[in-house]
Structure formats: C-alpha cells, structure tokens
Amino acid sequence: MFNGIKNGWQLLKLSITTFENHPVLVMPLLVVWVVFAPVILWLHFGLDVSNYSNGEGLLLAFGVIFVFAFLLVFSASVLLELIQQHEKGKAMSLGRAFGDTLRKNSYKLLPIVVVWSIIWFLLTLLESLFSSKDDSDSADKDLSAENAANALSGASDSTSFLSLSFDALRKGVRMIVFLVLPAVAWEDKNTWTATKRGLSILKHNKSAFITGYVMTGLIAWLVFLPVALISYGSAEMGVHIPSWGWLLVILYTAFAWSYSMYLEQMFTAELFLWYKHWEDKVSIAKDAGQQPPQMNDVNQPSLLDEHSDLVNNQRPPQPPSAKMQDRKDNRFGH
C-alpha cells in the first residue's frame, strides 16, 4: 500500500514536470474548453426546459454528455499522439496529431465514447433523481460576466455530499477511460483489447491509481481555489468586481480546467508506460532465465525526457552468435 502511494505521487510529479517542459500539451484541452464554454452557458442561461418533453430532455442531456465525452477522448488521443511524436524523435505537431487521431484512432475510440457516455448519463440521471429540485428555480438566469464566470467555474452549482459523491464517481470513470486510451494510440489495439489492457493495469496498480486520483483532485481544488474565493467574496461579502475582472476569471478558469484534465490524462499515460516498461523487463528476464522483477523494482520511465522510453524499451535483438550459444546450452542441459 505504501509503495502504491509513493509510486502514484512519483507519477504525478512526472506529469507536472512534463507540463513545465512542454506546455503545448495542454492546447488540445484548451480547444475542448472553447467548445465546452458556449454549451455550458447555453445550458445555464439559454435553455428553457419547459419547451421539451421528458423524453426530449433526456435525449438532449445524453447528446450533450456524448459530445463532451467525445471531445475529452479525442483530446486525450491527440495528447498521446503528441507524446508519441516526441518519443519517436519528431517535432510535436498538433495538426499531425489531430490527423493521426482522426485517421487511425477515431473508429476505435467511438465505442469507448458510447459506453462512457451511457455511464456518465446514468450517473447524472441518478444524481438528478436524488437531489432537490429547488436550485434551478432560485438560480440567477440573467447572463452577465459574473454569472458566466460562476457557471463556467462551477461556483454556481450547489455543493452537497450527494453532488460530491457523484462527481467522485464521474472522475473515477473518466480516469479509467484515460487509462485505456494509450493502448489504442500507442499500441494500435482494438477497442476490446485496449479496454481489457487498461483494466488489467488498473487491477495491478490500484494503490498507485487511487493515489493519482486523490492527488489530481487535490491539485484541481487548489487550482480552482482563487476562483472560489473571488466568487465567495462577491456573493457573501459584497466585494465589487468589475466586468473585466470576471472576464479574467473566465480566462483563468479555462486554463485551470485544462490543466486539471491534463494532469488526469498525463498521470494515466505515465502509469500505462511504467506498466509497459515493467512488462518488457519481465520478458527480458524470462528469456534470460532470471527471476522476473517486481513492478516496484523497475524505475518509472518519464515521458518527453531525453530518453525515448515509449519506443526504445524493448528487448535488444540478440546477435546470431548469442542465439547459437543459447541453442548449445539448451542442448547440453545448461
């Protein structure tokens, strides 16, 4: 358990360091947020639910969730393609990463998006069934810079044990999805094989995964703390903040949300790579007739450093003389 916590924290530190060296990695998520923001504002201030039947409302909710899930999965795949470009010694190109995701990965990602959307929708539906209905009636529906900032940052949402519990479930499912995606982007596996591989990595690294889950949540809370304090000061203490100040809050929220999602994506990518690195070490040890190492005995490789761990951690080819010697040793029982 202690090793799992230590490993999870180390993987998270590697993710933070990677961002410091390559801030371009957050760009796909910023693009996603640019799409998210207008939809969220429309849901808060432009949507009149009385114009829709119950069935239409449920279909609309699922459609919005599907779009959000698709954009998050697509952006994660673009991030993984950017990493693979660097690991192969190429310059990182957003355009090429976007094209590779669209051409090579999209049809394998779609079933993952559908399943995730269904789970996300069911969790949201259960939350709405168990929660009180009076928040929407009392909410300020007038679109202003302040209300837009609160809506985009989540400050206008009611917070309760129930909402926090469902948020935690949604985050857990989201990080599991992110753990599946490297098998598609890096190993070209099909949807079912990639899903089994991601779940297998989760099963063997539960403590590290939980540590990353908790720590990414804590960092997200710290990143959004300034926004929460500004909103509290305005709503509860009467602090006047001009419109341009709220626009800065919106801009900060875009980067805060993108960075929070980046940490989840990069943490799971680092965990996937470490597991892959360990598998290679086990294979080499078995071929050499040695005791396979435990995962904790294998150094955690770091993405986007000077070493190409993603492509160069395979067993080096044996020279013919060595193979001949192996056959002779086996023949004489050595």
Side-chain angles (χ1 to χ4, degrees), residues 35-47:
V35 178
F36 273 12
V39 176
I40 292 172
L41 293 179
W42 175 70
L43 291 174
H44 273 78
F45 305 107
L47 177 65

Side-chain angles (χ1 to χ4, degrees), residues 187-308:
E187 298 179 338
D188 296 324
K189 296 189 180 299
N190 61 41
T191 305
W192 178 242
T193 306
T195 301
K196 290 195 296 182
R197 182 150 173 74
L199 293 177
S200 175
I201 294 173
L202 172 63
K203 178 182 177 181
H204 287 88
N205 298 275
K206 290 189 289 289
S207 297
F209 181 87
I210 292 172
T211 300
Y213 171 93
V214 172
M215 295 307 298
T216 53
L218 178 59
I219 292 175
W221 181 83
L222 291 173
V223 168
F224 276 98
L225 183 58
V227 178
L229 292 175
I230 292 172
S231 297
Y232 179 83
S234 174
E236 304 297 332
M237 302 175 65
V239 177
H240 173 69
I241 298 172
S243 296
W244 63 264
W246 289 112
L247 293 176
L248 289 178
V249 171
I250 292 174
L251 183 61
Y252 177 86
T253 299
F255 284 94
W257 179 87
S258 300
Y259 183 67
S260 301
M261 288 297 106
Y262 158 83
L263 282 181
E264 293 182 10
Q265 293 180 1
M266 184 57 75
F267 172 83
T268 52
E270 293 276 5
L271 179 57
F272 186 98
L273 179 63
W274 184 33
Y275 188 85
K276 178 178 174 63
H277 197 63
W278 169 71
E279 286 180 323
D280 294 333
K281 296 294 185 183
V282 168
S283 178
I284 293 172
K286 286 182 177 179
D287 288 348
Q290 301 171 352
Q291 181 70 21
Q294 297 294 318
M295 194 161 169
N296 288 325
D297 299 327
V298 177
N299 292 330
Q300 294 177 359
S302 177
L303 292 167
L304 303 180
D305 58 9
E306 64 275 10
H307 304 293
S308 298

Side-chain angles (χ1 to χ4, degrees), residues 98-116:
F98 181 91
D100 288 343
T101 294
L102 198 61
R103 185 178 65 259
K104 297 189 308 179
N105 304 338
S106 55
Y107 70 95
K108 291 181 284 187
L109 297 176
L110 192 57
I112 298 173
V113 173
V114 171
V115 173
W116 183 21

Side-chain angles (χ1 to χ4, degrees), residues 65-78:
I65 287 172
F66 179 85
V67 170
F68 282 8
F70 176 80
L71 290 174
L72 279 171
V73 166
F74 197 90
S75 69
S77 179
V78 171

